């Protein structure tokens, strides 16, 4: 699989670090990712059960767990980082078309 022309692959250590570091420390080390996750947690908590959530550009569906009470649909072009696992996507497609 090749990278999309605009895709910027994460370094190989990034996923291992993210998974291995406790959440509180991860938010200090990975400020951008931590801020996104905090906002998504707040957003998800406000949604009523059964709400349809479209995660456009879902990648590996890393935020799906936040929407367990919703109808989550993960869609991605699936041409990013060659090490990513796209099997959890509900659909593969170009949303710009």
């Amino acid at each position: 699989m090749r990278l999309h022309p605009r895709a910027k692959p994460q370094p190989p250590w990034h996923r291992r670090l993210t998974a291995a570091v406790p959440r509180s420390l991860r938010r200090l080390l990975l400020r951008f990712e931590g801020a996104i996750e905090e906002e998504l947690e707040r957003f998800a908590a406000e949604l009523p059960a059964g709400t349809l959530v479209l995660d456009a550009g879902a990648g590996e569906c890393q935020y799906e767990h936040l929407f367990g009470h919703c109808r989550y649909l993960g869609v991605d072009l699936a041409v990013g980082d060659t090490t990513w696992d796209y099997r959890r996507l509900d659909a593969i497609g170009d949303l710009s078309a």
Side-chain angles (χ1 to χ4, degrees), residues 1-40:
M1 187 182 313
R2 66 179 176 77
L3 286 177
H4 188 274
R6 293 180 303 226
K8 293 179 181 161
Q10 294 174 336
W13 54 265
H14 188 271
R15 186 185 320 184
R16 289 190 305 271
L17 174 67
T18 302
V21 174
R23 184 176 178 187
S24 57
L25 184 56
R26 186 171 59 228
R27 290 218 167 116
L28 291 173
L29 295 173
L30 305 170
R31 290 179 157 268
F32 180 74
E33 291 87 346
I36 289 173
E37 192 160 337
E38 282 180 14
E39 289 303 314
L40 283 172

Side-chain angles (χ1 to χ4, degrees), residues 23 27 36-45 47 61-70 72:
R23 184 176 178 187
R27 290 218 167 116
I36 289 173
E37 192 160 337
E38 282 180 14
E39 289 303 314
L40 283 172
E41 285 172 355
R42 261 186 240 136
F43 175 71
L47 294 176
C61 301
Q62 66 184 10
Y63 301 114
E64 181 178 18
H65 68 280
L66 300 175
F67 300 96
H69 63 293
C70 297
Y72 176 92

